Amino acid sequence: MEFSTMILTKYILGFALQSFILVLGVYIFNKQKLILRDYLITSVLVTFVTFFMKSLPISVGVQTIMNMIFMYLICVVYLKMQPYITIRSTALCVVLILISEMIVTAGIVMMYGQTQFQSIVSSGSQRHYIGTMANIVFTIIIIALYFILDRKGEYHRSISKQDS
């Protein structure tokens, strides 16, 4: 039972959810039309690369940079996104992941205290729950930004049509 819970929290709600939302975030910030087939292929590739990077014996910061580089390359080469905007979008998404993790960490420390938080982080099986909650917060942020940016775009389009 614990093994299946770890697979669900670490791999499905961890790597996979974060990769799918990360790719969606890059699409949103690039204001690129989402093509489902390309989105799914890119998301699955990013999931496998993230899993591979996490299994390497290198520090977390290096893994993050390598994941960002891969994300950038696949978006520019395969999805044909604009290079400059894609760099900004990828970096913004990674910062939003960091902010999501900070929100969840602060919430857990405020609810349970520093000592309980340390025991959760020390436990391999419970640590994945923090990542899952951070991914849910990241998902909410990305969806909220999608609606904010989409409305802003509609507003600007409607104004420009009235002026002409």
Side-chain angles (χ1 to χ4, degrees):
M1 180 67 179
E2 185 175 315
F3 182 70
S4 60
T5 304
M6 185 189 74
I7 288 174
L8 177 68
T9 58
K10 183 176 182 179
Y11 298 108
I12 296 173
L13 296 175
F15 297 139
L17 178 62
Q18 189 176 75
S19 297
F20 276 75
I21 299 302
L22 178 66
V23 173
L24 180 64
V26 172
Y27 264 102
I28 289 169
F29 294 133
N30 278 357
K31 295 180 179 137
Q32 187 93 4
K33 182 181 178 193
L34 189 123
I35 300 168
L36 187 62
R37 179 181 172 274
D38 291 342
Y39 168 73
L40 292 175
I41 290 171
T42 304
S43 297
V44 169
L45 279 172
V46 170
T47 300
F48 284 123
V49 167
T50 300
F51 172 74
F52 175 72
M53 294 292 178
K54 297 283 184 183
S55 65
L56 292 176
I58 53 179
S59 65
V60 176
V62 175
Q63 293 171 355
T64 303
I65 291 170
M66 290 171 68
N67 285 333
M68 284 178 63
I69 291 170
F70 176 77
M71 182 74 193
Y72 169 77
L73 289 174
I74 196 165
C75 287
V76 170
V77 174
Y78 177 68
L79 298 176
K80 307 288 189 238
M81 292 182 176
Q82 295 294 321
Y84 176 74
I85 298 170
T86 304
I87 289 173
R88 186 187 67 198
S89 300
T90 306
L92 183 58
C93 285
V94 171
V95 168
L96 289 174
I97 291 170
L98 176 65
I99 290 170
S100 301
E101 291 172 353
M102 290 170 60
I103 290 169
V104 169
T105 300
I108 291 173
V109 169
M110 288 171 48
M111 284 178 22
Y112 297 110
Q114 183 69 25
T115 317
Q116 183 67 23
F117 175 74
Q118 289 297 333
S119 67
I120 291 171
V121 171
S122 300
S123 170
S125 61
Q126 292 183 342
R127 181 179 13 185
H128 305 299
Y129 293 119
I130 294 173
T132 299
M133 289 187 286
N135 285 337
I136 292 169
V137 170
F138 178 53
T139 303
I140 292 168
I141 291 171
I142 290 294
I143 290 171
L145 285 172
Y146 169 75
F147 286 113
I148 290 169
L149 293 174
D150 189 47
R151 283 192 177 160
K152 183 178 177 184
E154 286 177 12
Y155 173 75
H156 289 298
R157 283 191 294 271
S158 67
I159 296 296
S160 62
K161 286 180 186 177
Q162 291 175 355
D163 290 340
S164 45

